Amino acid sequence: MTKEEAARLLSILLHDLTKEWRKEKIHSDVLEVIMQLRIQAADNERYSANLLDHIAFAGESAHALKQIWGYMLRERTFLSPTTMEAMLTDAQRVIHRRLPELVARYGRAFAEIADETERKRQLERSYSALLLFNRIATDFLFQFVREENEREASAFFAADPNELLEVFHHLCSVYASRLLEGLEVD
């Protein structure tokens, strides 16, 4: 399977996965999470710090999801949903332990934004995109391993795993961006 064929198939599957999702509901869900973080924070500085913590955690969780799928692709095997959940839980435990160093690394990208309001806006956008990316990727992977989907899903085993993961990352990002278009966080 060529990279282009894999991209076409993956795009069709992601479209099918998200076609029933309503932008208004997605926006409402994301705003609820953002507002909850605001309420929990004592001030804007703590709010921005909390957002950065969540960005680091979500970013590394996205990486863990891609590693899980990469494992299945390289081994040409389907993991059970229980095994996938356990792998993700283990990865998230490690992420929690490493969070201070991860926050420092992720924070460098936002530290260069001098205007506090703009920095907060960029943190909110980044976190929103990661939330939705992870939802798309997680839902896709759990559909991928469903027994009734194995025949169709095994077609991906013919693709180069690294190329497929690159396409997967790109398409999940594109679908997340499309669903977040027009989201206003005030």
Side-chain angles (χ1 to χ4, degrees), residues 24-42:
E24 299 79 21
K25 174 73 169 122
I26 298 294
H27 289 194
S28 173
D29 291 350
V30 169
L31 285 173
E32 184 178 333
V33 171
I34 295 289
M35 292 307 151
Q36 190 62 38
L37 284 174
R38 280 187 185 173
I39 290 167
Q40 292 170 353

Side-chain angles (χ1 to χ4, degrees), residues 5 10 38 43-44 58-59 77 81 83 92 100 108 155 158 161 167 170-171:
E5 291 168 335
L10 191 52
R38 280 187 185 173
D43 55 34
N44 274 339
T77 191
T83 300
Q92 289 177 336
R108 285 193 281 276
V167 169
H170 173 75
L171 288 174

